[in-house]
Amino acid sequence: MKNTPLPARLSAAFLLSILLSAAAVFAAEGTVLAPKGGAPLAADLPVETAVLTEAPQVPPAITRRHAAKVIVNLEVREVVKRLADGVEYTFWTFGGNVPGSFIRVREGDFVEFRLNNHPTSKMPHNIDLHAVTGPGGGAASSFTAPGHSSKFSFTALNAGLYVYHCATAPVPMHIANGMYGLILVEPKDGLPRVDREYYVMQGEIYTSGRNGEPGLQTFDPTKAEDERAPYIVFNGAVGSLVGDKALQAKVGETVRIHFGVGGPNVTSSFHIIGEIFDRVYLEGGSVAQHNVQTTMVPSGGSTMVEFKVDVPGTYILVDHSLSRAFNKGALGMLKVTGPENRLIYSGKEVDEVYLGQASDAGFAASKREAELVAAKEKAIASNPQIATITKDIQIERGKKVFLTSCFACHTATGEGLPAVFPPLAKSDFLKADKDRAIKIVLKGLSGPIIVNGKPFNNVMPPQEYTDEQVADVLTYVMNSWGNDFGSVSPTEVKRVRGENK
Ligand SMILES: [Cu+2]
């Protein structure tokens, strides 16, 4: 307030005093902390430690019908985990997984929250729980450096299903890296009884590579700003809820799914293919809407859906913005076992074809495909005819690369320019050393050289191409204008690139 003029400061103080007296009235009317006439003091409450669960599991329903002091111990860890087959990502987590551990308390509980940031973390983190009434939802009070632990407390005043997330700058990055989860504040009288409860959260991941690009991916801030996520997934990874990791239920049971969207940016049109939600607690609040097909869940929002499963089969959880489900990963499964009921459903299932890649059949197919590709590669290696075709393809691709840069100096006919740009056509220098040629394209070349008996002393800048493109362009050059110098494979380029790091 240093630079605020005096009248403004006075009025701010005045406002504050009104707020304080309002709080005093509120307290006098009997909040959990009011000493007399209301609920007991926090110090008098029975103490328990919250059971935290990893998605898709949910802690057991709360059976007590009185307030308690609940201790929550949440650990932040930065961990490398699978994002998709062959793709890894450094996730920042609340509890070691994405989404963060599920927290369950009861309306009126006094929650003592401890945030522990593991010593191996590289970043400070904090937590903003939407269930908290108070500035930042706990963010400022919970800012924690690596190897430190913070404590703050709050009373869970409102029942509902709430998102929590990290609120450390840059916030979208912390969330996109996996820092979100759900806290359920059960109403005083509890939620209706169900047979099974599950925990599912949707979030986007902005990888530097395209969807499916293998290896350890890094966060791409530009894609995040533009909201162009290569991955939109349930529970932190493609396929986290399919195959033997699918949710389970038996015919006749009632299922409740606690569904949230961590975002940071993309909302969800949550739908289960083949089911109708009997009840939807819109936006995670206390009013249930009935008979819903698809429910909108905002970023940083939630919903509770309940439904009875009547017939066996595989039900598919999706974001009904379907490219996200079928191309980016927002797809899960609920497998229901039990007797058929032909009256409700005739029983002819077409799931497997409809679901393509992500269904069980699709998974089996991907595996088989990988085997066949490997077998094909082996066959190619030992079949000269196919090897020739492969080389011809490389030459055509390489020509396109050549015409984007090399030709500007070495000319389209490969003759170059006397005393300035050396020839590639019939170049004895090129023919003599394949690894050197690869290195020249990757790293550039300068200083005096002799090509076909003529001296050159100029500079060639490094050429920014992938291993494949370098292999293709050199194969083109080595097989054009009368050259017959063999070919270059991406593996060779990769090796030379590694040797010249
Ligand atoms: Cu964080």
Side-chain angles (χ1 to χ4, degrees):
M1 260 202 202
K2 246 186 224 146
N3 303 318
T4 325
L6 189 64
R9 244 188 278 170
L10 276 178
S11 65
F14 178 63
L15 245 172
L16 189 69
S17 72
I18 293 184
L19 282 174
L20 284 175
S21 57
V25 170
F26 182 52
E29 275 173 8
T31 65
V32 256
L33 294 180
K36 50 185 173 195
L41 269 173
D44 300 335
L45 293 172
V47 179
E48 57 184 60
T49 302
V51 176
L52 303 183
T53 58
E54 194 178 296
Q57 303 309 323
V58 177
I62 293 177
T63 49
R64 64 182 153 79
R65 289 292 169 258
H66 56 82
K69 173 175 165 179
V70 181
I71 297 168
V72 176
N73 261 302
L74 196 55
E75 185 181 60
V76 172
R77 290 217 321 259
E78 299 171 2
V79 286
V80 175
K81 292 178 84 84
R82 174 190 170 278
L83 168 57
D85 289 337
V87 186
E88 291 191 309
Y89 192 81
T90 306
F91 288 99
W92 298 350
T93 72
F94 286 111
N97 292 287
V98 181
S101 307
F102 196 102
I103 307 167
R104 189 166 196 156
V105 300
R106 178 179 172 273
E107 180 186 355
D109 279 352
F110 181 76
V111 182
E112 185 180 295
F113 206 101
R114 225 175 230 289
L115 192 68
N116 310 303
N117 193 356
H118 199 272
T120 56
S121 294
K122 295 198 170 55
M123 296 285 158
H125 300 282
N126 66 4
I127 192 165
D128 166 354
L129 298 121
H130 293 179
V132 168
T133 306
S141 330
S142 61
F143 186 82
T144 313
H148 285 76
S149 170
S150 301
K151 193 182 96 175
F152 70 101
S153 304
F154 66 94
T155 297
L157 296 178
N158 303 73
L161 180 63
Y162 298 95
V163 167
Y164 66 77
H165 61 85
C166 183
T168 302
V171 183
M173 178 185 185
H174 282 249
I175 295 177
N177 282 351
M179 301 200 76
Y180 51 82
L182 288 178
I183 173 169
L184 172 64
V185 181
E186 280 202 39
K188 287 206 161 102
D189 298 326
L191 288 168
R193 223 196 67 79
V194 289
D195 298 300
R196 290 175 193 260
E197 289 187 286
Y198 288 116
Y199 173 24
V200 179
M201 268 186 108
Q202 179 173 325
E204 319 94 70
I205 298 142
Y206 299 93
T207 49
S208 44
R210 298 184 51 136
N211 184 296
E213 202 164 303
L216 180 62
Q217 296 294 316
T218 52
F219 174 75
D220 184 327
T222 310
K223 280 185 195 159
E225 239 177 86
D226 297 348
E227 303 186 13
R228 279 185 295 114
Y231 292 90
I232 301 182
V233 298
F234 291 153
N235 290 358
V238 176
S240 62
L241 294 173
V242 309
D244 46 11
K245 286 178 279 175
L247 306 180
Q248 305 283 338
K250 292 200 178 72
V251 166
E253 287 182 333
T254 313
V255 180
R256 173 183 298 134
I257 297 178
H258 299 270
F259 184 85
V261 175
N265 302 314
V266 178
T267 62
S268 180
S269 303
F270 184 51
H271 173 79
I272 299 186
I273 301 175
E275 259 305 335
I276 296 156
F277 303 136
D278 298 330
R279 279 173 303 283
V280 172
Y281 295 85
L282 279 178
E283 295 166 0
S286 8
V287 178
Q289 146 95 305
H290 296 266
N291 306 329
V292 176
Q293 58 194 305
T294 302
T295 187
M296 276 296 291
V297 187
S299 284
S302 72
T303 187
M304 282 184 287
V305 299
E306 293 170 3
F307 51 94
K308 185 172 165 232
V309 286
D310 298 291
V311 285
T314 302
Y315 297 83
I316 313 300
L317 286 66
V318 292
D319 177 340
H320 213 292
S321 292
L322 286 173
S323 298
R324 300 175 188 168
F326 295 104
N327 301 96
K328 297 191 169 187
L331 184 147
M333 291 182 177
L334 168 68
K335 290 196 173 167
V336 177
T337 52
E340 298 278 357
N341 184 336
R342 303 265 170 214
L343 258 184
I344 294 179
Y345 189 69
S346 71
K348 181 187 169 195
E349 286 192 64
V350 290
D351 269 0
E352 306 294 13
V353 179
Y354 182 26
L355 288 170
Q357 186 195 350
S359 70
D360 281 357
F363 262 36
S366 302
K367 202 172 150 217
R368 182 79 188 119
E369 182 192 346
E371 286 165 12
L372 289 172
V373 167
K376 183 181 102 182
E377 237 110 73
K378 234 175 129 186
I380 287 170
S382 56
N383 182 329
Q385 198 187 343
I386 295 175
T388 311
I389 296 172
T390 310
K391 187 170 158 187
D392 289 347
I393 295 172
Q394 261 198 307
I395 289 172
E396 294 309 320
R397 284 190 185 145
K399 183 173 188 175
K400 289 189 279 181
V401 177
F402 188 84
L403 293 173
T404 63
S405 77
C406 326
F407 84 103
C409 301
H410 294 285
T411 74
T413 54
E415 286 159 30
L417 200 65
V420 183
F421 298 122
L424 299 177
K426 305 198 181 71
S427 158
D428 57 356
F429 190 88
L430 169 64
K431 186 180 181 181
D433 188 338
K434 184 152 94 171
D435 278 11
R436 180 175 65 189
I438 296 172
K439 191 182 159 195
I440 288 171
V441 176
L442 293 174
K443 295 260 147 188
L445 182 68
S446 61
I449 54 167
I450 311 261
V451 182
N452 297 344
K454 306 234 166 62
F456 292 87
N457 190 355
N458 198 346
V459 178
M460 168 171 157
Q463 307 291 307
E464 304 265 325
Y465 289 116
T466 63
D467 294 348
E468 283 73 17
Q469 288 173 312
V470 173
D472 292 347
V473 76
L474 280 173
T475 303
Y476 168 69
V477 165
M478 288 159 73
N479 291 278
S480 302
W481 320 298
N483 292 350
D484 187 7
F485 302 159
S487 64
V488 175
S489 74
T491 322
E492 287 171 303
V493 178
K494 194 172 174 196
R495 174 179 51 76
V496 173
R497 200 191 284 276
E499 289 165 2
N500 290 283
K501 271 245 167 73

